[in-house]
Amino acid sequence: MGPPVVSRGRAATPTLGKAMLNKYARAFFTRVLTPFAAFLIRRGVSPDTVTLLGTAGVIAGALVFYPRGEFFWGTVVITLFVFSDLVDGNMARQMGRSSRWGAFLDSTLDRVADGAIFGGFALWYAGKGDDIALCAVSIFCLASGQVVSYTKARGESIGLPVAVNGLVERAERLVISLVAAGLSGLHAFGVPGIDVLLPIALWIVAVGSLVTLIQRVVTVRRESAEAEAEAEAGAGAEAAAMAAQEPTDAPRNSEATS
């Protein structure tokens, strides 16, 4: 049956820059977080528990702080709990535990956490932030992020490779939004003019998500057409092979009946 699956996420096809960043960043955080992950294992904590607690922390940071405009502290809390996504995978590797369920749980709760973050922004702009346009942009970021993830998952579920990452994926959405939110939160500490970063970031994420969605839809359409063309070509070749056999069979049949 092969070795147990220990990855709690889905393999991607990153670009060279992303691959290098992913390689060195993961190597660094693996060294830093491995002792902590080992400590949790010794204490009997499961990777799934870490995943659930991490998601709960992100939700709390987003929906408690962001709607009140406390972007700095909300981002601090979210960032601390975001590392749980690395800790649970590290624990799974150390335990050698098959994690198809863990991969599913990770992917599902990632969508919940993303919704909480952009939902927190939307609540702020719908309330004390008093900006309906940015509230709508935040909601669009929330919805488009979910659909971008769905297009890849749905394409793969019908047997297509969906060989494109797109301009703005989940990592980019979170980094752009959280960095801008954290810096914008410094406005409360007296840093002037810095609060404009969050609106700019939301517009960037919205446009980037739309472009990514279009890229993935176009890719799925192209791959689907190619797959259907290959299937039709295969069926045509099979029919031609059967037809080629009929003339050689016909004389034999006539001789047998004469």
Side-chain angles (χ1 to χ4, degrees), residues 12 79-80 96 142 163:
T79 302
L80 290 175
L142 189 162

Side-chain angles (χ1 to χ4, degrees), residues 164-257:
V164 63
N165 286 322
L167 181 64
V168 176
E169 296 184 281
R170 182 175 187 260
E172 288 81 7
R173 290 196 302 270
L174 290 183
V175 169
I176 293 171
S177 302
L178 293 178
V179 169
L183 292 176
S184 294
L186 295 177
H187 181 74
F189 296 93
V191 179
I194 202 167
D195 53 327
V196 300
L197 291 179
L198 181 56
I200 294 173
L202 290 174
W203 277 107
I204 291 173
V205 170
V207 173
S209 296
L210 178 60
V211 172
T212 303
L213 177 59
I214 293 172
Q215 287 176 306
R216 290 192 174 180
V217 170
V218 169
T219 298
V220 169
R221 179 178 175 81
R222 174 178 54 78
E223 292 177 347
S224 177
E226 291 174 353
E228 291 174 0
E230 290 177 2
E232 290 177 0
E238 183 178 353
M242 293 178 62
Q245 293 178 357
E246 291 180 359
T248 58
D249 292 342
R252 293 178 184 175
N253 292 338
S254 61
E255 289 174 5
T257 56

Side-chain angles (χ1 to χ4, degrees), residues 22 33 47 49 65 75 77 136 149 153 194 228 231 243 256:
N22 184 65
L33 296 175
T49 300
F65 292 95
T75 302
V77 172
S149 297
I194 202 167
E228 291 174 0

